[in-house]
Every structure is written in C-alpha cells, then in structure tokens.
Amino acid sequence: MDLFQYDFMIRALLGALIIGLAAPALGIYLVQRRLSLIGDGIGHVALTGVGVGLLLNQSPVLSAVVVAAVGAVGVELIRERGRTSGDLALALLFYGGIAGGVVLVSLSNDASSNSLMQYLFGSLITTSPQDVTVIAVLGAAVLIAMLAFRPALFAVCNDEEYARVSGLPVRALNLLMAVTTAVTVTIAMRTVGLLLVSALMVIPVAAAQQVTRGFRSTMAAAMAIGLVAAGAGVVVSAEADTPPGATTVILALAAFVAITVGAAGLRLVRRRAQPPREVEPPDVVLQEAGVR
Amino acid sequence: MSVVQVRHAAVGYEGREILHDVSLTVGAGEVVAILGANGSGKSTLIRTILGLVPLGHGAIELFGTPQRKFRDWARVGYVPQRLGAGSGVPATVGEVVASGRLARRGIFRPSGAADKAAVRDALTDVGLLDRINDPVTTLSGGQQQRTLIARALAGKPDLLVLDEPTAGVDAASQEAFAAALGRFAEAGGTIVLVAHELGPLRPLIDRAVVVHEGRIAHEGPPPEPAGHHAEPDHDHVHPHAVQAAPGICVAPADRIAAN
C-alpha cells in the first residue's frame, strides 16, 4: 500500500489509532452512567474554543481543550445539583457553544466553510506534526487515567451513593471524568470531527457489551473495536476519498451490527444444539387455578 | 463507646421537614432495626447518618467522631435498597463486590491478593461464590441483594447499615443473608437496618426503633409476632399474595416499591 508514503497519512493514522483506544476507554464510564450523549454536547462547546483559537491566532486545539474543559466542568456541576432545570441548562450550553463557535470562526482570518467543516467532521490532511504530539500526549494521559482509576471510576459510575459512603473523592473523580471527556473530544476533532466524536466513545462500548459478561472485558473489547474502526476508517477514507470521521463511525456501526447479529445467531445455534440449561428453581410456585 | 449517635437531628428537603428532633444512640455490637411505614422518614434517618442527606439541625457522631470530620469510612458498610438501576454495561458479581474494597485500600492502590481474598470470603458468606463471574443482571432480586451485602462485607466494616434489605426478596435469599448478618453480629459487628417487616431477621434484633411522621414513636424490644403469627407451626403466608404450597413462605411481592 503506497498510501503511507505520505507523512500526513501516517500522522492521521497515528492520531486516529490513539483516539480509537482512548475514546471507548472513557466512553464506557459515560455509557455506564447514562451520559452517552454528553460527549456530543461537549463537542458543541469545544467549537467555541476552536473559534477563540482561530480568532486569536493560537492553536485551536489548545483553546478548544480549555473551553471544552470549562464547559464539561460546568455540566458536571449542574448534574451534581440534580435539579430538574439541569436538562434545560445543558441545552442552552450546547447550542450556545455551537452558535458561538460558528460566529467566532466566521470572524477569524481563517473564515471559510472549509475550515469549519474540518473541525465538525474531521479531515485527514490537517493533522500537523504538533497536532500528533498533542494528541499522543493527551491521549496517553486520558488512557492512563481511565485504566489506573478503573476500580474507583467503576464504583462511582455504578453506584454513586455507595461510592460516597465509601469515602471516595466522588467529586474529584467526576471532575476528572468531565475534564478527560473534554480532552478526548478535542483531540478527536481533527480525525473524527466534533459532531461525531461521541460516536467513537459510545458505539464500540455498545458493540462490545453484546458479547461480554464483565466490565473489565467490555472495556478491553471496546478499546479493540475502537482501535480497529479508527484505523480502518483512515485507510478506507483515503482509498475511497470519503470523510474520515464519518467513515470511521460507519465502520464502528457495522461492527456493532455484525457483533449483535452474530451473537444472537450464536445463542440461537447453542440453544438448539444443547438441551435447555438447568434453571434455578422459582422462588414461588404459582398453582394454576382449579388444580388443587 | 457509641458507634452511632444522633442528637436532636432535624432534616428537610426543599423546605419540608422530614425528621424532627430525632435522637438515637447505637452501641458497639448492637443490632438495631428502624421500623416504620413508607414515608415515615426511616430511610432518611439512615441516609442522614451516612451523610447522603445533609443534616439540618442537631449533631451526628460516628465512632465518637463528628460525622463531618469522620474519614474512616472503611469502618462503615452500606447496603442500599437495590443495585443501582445500572446501565447496559455488564459487570460481574465479583467486580461489584470488589468495589467494597476501595474504602480500605484507597483509589491509588491496585487490587491485591488481600482484596481478592476478601471478595471471595464475602461471596462465600452470602452463598454466591459460584456466581462470581456471572453478570449481576442475570441474578434474581434476592441474589442481587446478597451481592450488595457481600460488597459491604468485603470492606470488613465494623458497622453495617442496611436500607430495607428484605424488601421484595425471595425467602431463600432472606434466610441466606439473615445467616450472614447473624455471623457478622456474632463477631461483634454493629448493625443498623431499616425494615418494613423483619421476617427471618427478627431473632437478630436487639432493639427496634419505630419512626412515625419524622419522630421516634417507640423504642424497645422488637415487636412480638401477635395472634396466630405467634403459633409455633405458623406458616407466614400473606393472604393478599398468591396462595402458595403449604410450608413455603411467600415473599411479599407487593412490598417491592418501598420508598
């Protein structure tokens, strides 16, 4: 394959692979606490950060990290309050984020619909060497945090009250998750794009949990699926000349469908091949009326 | 030394007071049942003791330390009413029980041999060791409740706090964790449990506290089963439940939605 004689392709692939690993490693916690769409919202907010960066002629990745992190912490503080108005507050934040981003980008020197599209849907050719370094460093930080704190993060996402009674620093762990969400969203915007980032956090997890039994195995399988989808997404998009983010997401969805159908088929075959497994005796035996 | 001391506690949510001037002392090794109807404030009382609900007025001490300054949470094992609603992400019984070790080892230290042994011991204690690698969602309600007790026991606490442990739980599971709680109490552990009815836990209880409309209405020995409930060969069958085969105790399925 002569695709990889180009440096930019290698950089794009490298960036995609790191994100393919990091996004599901974080996403599994978001899915577990039913915040599957939060990455999407933070992506909206990050666009304002991109606008700020372009306007100030600074690296849009850095400004996006900062703005997205502020947004994510805000979201977490709203969620912690648990007020009913939280839902509305999130909506205001997200739409404000994307509208602010579009306006700011249009005001900057780099004002073309092309540059906006790059951030929204990702692009192969825009990953600069500095970008790869930033992605690698931040991606590794996210991965290490998600793996090293897995027991504590699992406890918080599984049962926050229990975690609190255990004396865990619940708020610090929640803020860690908020900030790593912002970081993951931002480093993924170059390859997958802000509007599809969340897909790479959620779909590999959804696919993995069709066949796994435990949290740890789900996490490992989701990271593997994310890695393959992101890598294949870059290659296929270069070959077929399609946007890389959308291609990656389509591939991940295809994996989800294939695994779901395959698992269902396997269960069916097993059930037919084997006699029914001995089931636990029921707690209460209901007697049919009249059979006394 | 008292393990739990509540003095003149008042608690309210959003302007409505739920507990008024409640005082309660639980000594080391005591097994105390907090009884009351739905909405009486009994769950709020233990949630306040655990710091999950902010205290309005009054004072709470845990193991002689003011609750706000209390940091030794490994000494407290909390058993919530049910496994968190959870999500689609699977988790094994072993993984859930392992969460109970975090209070002891802290969040920075990875799980070691002692942690694994404690998880196995706790699961053995509630009779679920053979399910350690099964997803919790494949367990019955009673087995999930036992998983939560195992999670609390895995941290080797001195005080167990249980919120409605028998609500909606099958008879076999009720017996299994009554036995586990009995062993915990025999080893000197202190238990505070909120209950709707005591069932097989009754013989363990040293003292019952009845909460009514946010106040402690009665304190003393647990209420004796009255009338035909007291007969030695009484089969505890709820007339409003489905008629069961003789000798089988029917789980009160109508009591699942407590609080």
Side-chain angles (χ1 to χ4, degrees):
Chain A
M1 235 192 283
D2 51 2
L3 272 177
F4 293 101
Q5 60 184 305
Y6 304 109
D7 282 350
F8 73 83
M9 275 302 295
I10 294 179
R11 289 199 296 269
L13 184 67
L14 215 60
L17 291 178
I18 294 167
I19 289 149
L21 270 181
L26 164 72
I28 189 168
Y29 300 111
L30 302 180
V31 173
Q32 198 192 12
R33 65 184 348 183
R34 297 173 184 276
L35 288 174
S36 296
L37 294 176
I38 197 79
D40 204 29
I42 302 301
H44 286 47
V45 176
L47 193 66
T48 293
V50 170
V52 169
L54 290 178
L55 209 57
L56 301 176
N57 282 322
Q58 299 290 320
S59 153
V61 172
L62 277 184
S63 58
V65 168
V66 172
V67 172
V70 171
V73 169
V75 169
E76 171 53 29
L77 294 179
I78 293 171
R79 193 196 67 82
E80 191 185 77
R81 293 267 168 92
R83 299 274 178 233
T84 40
S85 59
D87 171 55
L88 205 54
L90 295 186
L92 295 177
L93 189 67
F94 295 166
Y95 302 132
I98 199 151
V102 172
V103 168
L104 288 176
V105 170
S106 74
L107 288 177
S108 71
N109 297 329
D110 203 10
S112 65
S113 61
N114 216 357
S115 69
L116 193 60
M117 289 295 276
Q118 276 173 25
Y119 292 105
L120 289 180
F121 294 108
S123 162
L124 283 184
I125 49 168
T126 48
T127 315
S128 68
Q130 288 127 291
D131 283 343
V132 174
T133 317
V134 171
I135 291 173
V137 170
L138 293 179
V142 169
L143 259 181
I144 290 170
M146 293 303 108
L147 293 174
F149 291 118
R150 181 167 47 83
L153 291 172
F154 169 77
V156 170
C157 295
N158 190 51
D159 188 341
E160 189 165 324
E161 289 197 337
Y162 179 79
R164 193 158 282 157
V165 175
S166 295
L168 297 186
V170 171
R171 174 177 251 187
L173 289 166
N174 279 333
L175 291 178
L176 172 74
M177 256 184 287
V179 171
T180 46
T181 306
V183 168
T184 311
V185 163
T186 324
I187 60 175
M189 80 182 168
R190 288 296 202 180
T191 17
V192 201
L194 289 174
L195 290 186
L196 290 172
V197 164
S198 199
L200 209 48
M201 296 182 180
V202 173
I203 297 172
V205 178
Q209 70 189 23
Q210 303 300 319
V211 286
T212 50
R213 293 165 69 77
F215 190 80
R216 193 186 178 143
S217 51
T218 307
M219 193 172 186
M223 287 166 69
I225 294 168
L227 189 74
V228 171
V234 167
V235 174
V236 170
S237 77
E239 294 279 6
D241 195 23
T242 49
T247 312
T248 302
V249 171
I250 297 279
L251 287 174
L253 274 172
F256 170 77
V257 171
I259 291 174
T260 308
V261 171
L266 203 66
R267 270 196 291 272
L268 204 70
V269 170
R270 274 197 196 146
R271 205 169 298 158
R272 292 220 175 129
Q274 283 176 2
R277 203 163 57 102
E278 209 175 308
V279 290
E280 229 181 299
D283 301 326
V284 176
V285 180
L286 303 182
Q287 291 187 334
E288 264 178 72
V291 191
R292 291 242 167 138
Chain B
M1 186 191 69
S2 66
V3 172
V4 178
Q5 183 149 47
V6 180
R7 263 171 296 172
H8 307 296
V11 175
Y13 290 111
E14 287 162 10
R16 199 168 67 88
E17 202 168 85
I18 303 215
L19 292 178
H20 329 275
D21 192 26
V22 169
S23 295
L24 172 71
T25 304
V26 179
E30 245 191 314
V31 180
V32 174
I34 299 176
L35 308 173
N38 286 345
S40 60
K42 60 189 193 300
S43 275
T44 303
L45 175 57
I46 62 157
R47 291 169 60 78
T48 309
I49 291 171
L50 294 169
L52 292 171
V53 173
L55 182 65
H57 297 282
I60 292 176
E61 283 184 7
L62 293 170
F63 297 98
T65 310
Q67 186 214 53
R68 287 180 154 277
K69 294 184 183 161
F70 185 74
R71 293 289 173 270
D72 205 1
W73 288 104
R75 298 186 73 178
V76 181
Y78 170 46
V79 182
Q81 244 182 63
R82 67 198 62 179
L83 199 63
S87 64
V89 183
T92 64
V93 171
E95 284 172 331
V96 170
V97 175
S99 293
R101 293 296 296 171
L102 281 164
R104 282 252 165 245
R105 77 166 193 268
I107 62 169
F108 294 103
R109 199 151 8 120
S111 166
D115 298 306
K116 294 201 173 74
V119 168
R120 295 184 70 85
D121 286 352
L123 278 171
T124 308
D125 208 10
V126 298
L128 284 178
L129 186 60
D130 56 327
R131 306 299 298 267
I132 186 167
N133 290 319
D134 289 352
V136 276
T137 46
T138 62
L139 268 55
S140 73
Q143 289 169 333
Q144 291 187 0
Q145 195 69 308
R146 276 145 72 189
T147 305
L148 297 183
I149 295 193
R151 176 174 70 176
L153 290 175
K156 311 260 188 242
D158 298 318
L159 165 68
L160 265 188
V161 179
L162 304 95
D163 194 354
E164 299 261 8
T166 53
V169 167
D170 55 276
S173 280
Q174 287 207 22
E175 300 288 351
F177 72 61
L181 291 186
R183 286 189 288 274
F184 177 80
E186 227 161 80
T190 309
I191 301 178
V192 176
L193 64 93
V194 161
H196 200 100
E197 60 182 329
L198 292 173
L201 300 179
R202 206 200 154 278
L204 302 173
I205 310 296
D206 298 321
R207 182 156 57 101
V209 175
V210 179
V211 180
H212 181 65
E213 288 177 355
R215 294 176 200 282
I216 291 185
H218 170 83
E219 230 183 307
E224 289 292 333
H228 66 277
H229 282 73
E231 289 164 19
D233 58 349
H234 169 68
D235 288 327
H236 188 69
V237 174
H238 284 246
H240 45 78
V242 179
Q243 208 66 54
I248 292 181
C249 179
V250 176
D254 58 327
R255 302 270 169 87
I256 290 173
N259 285 343

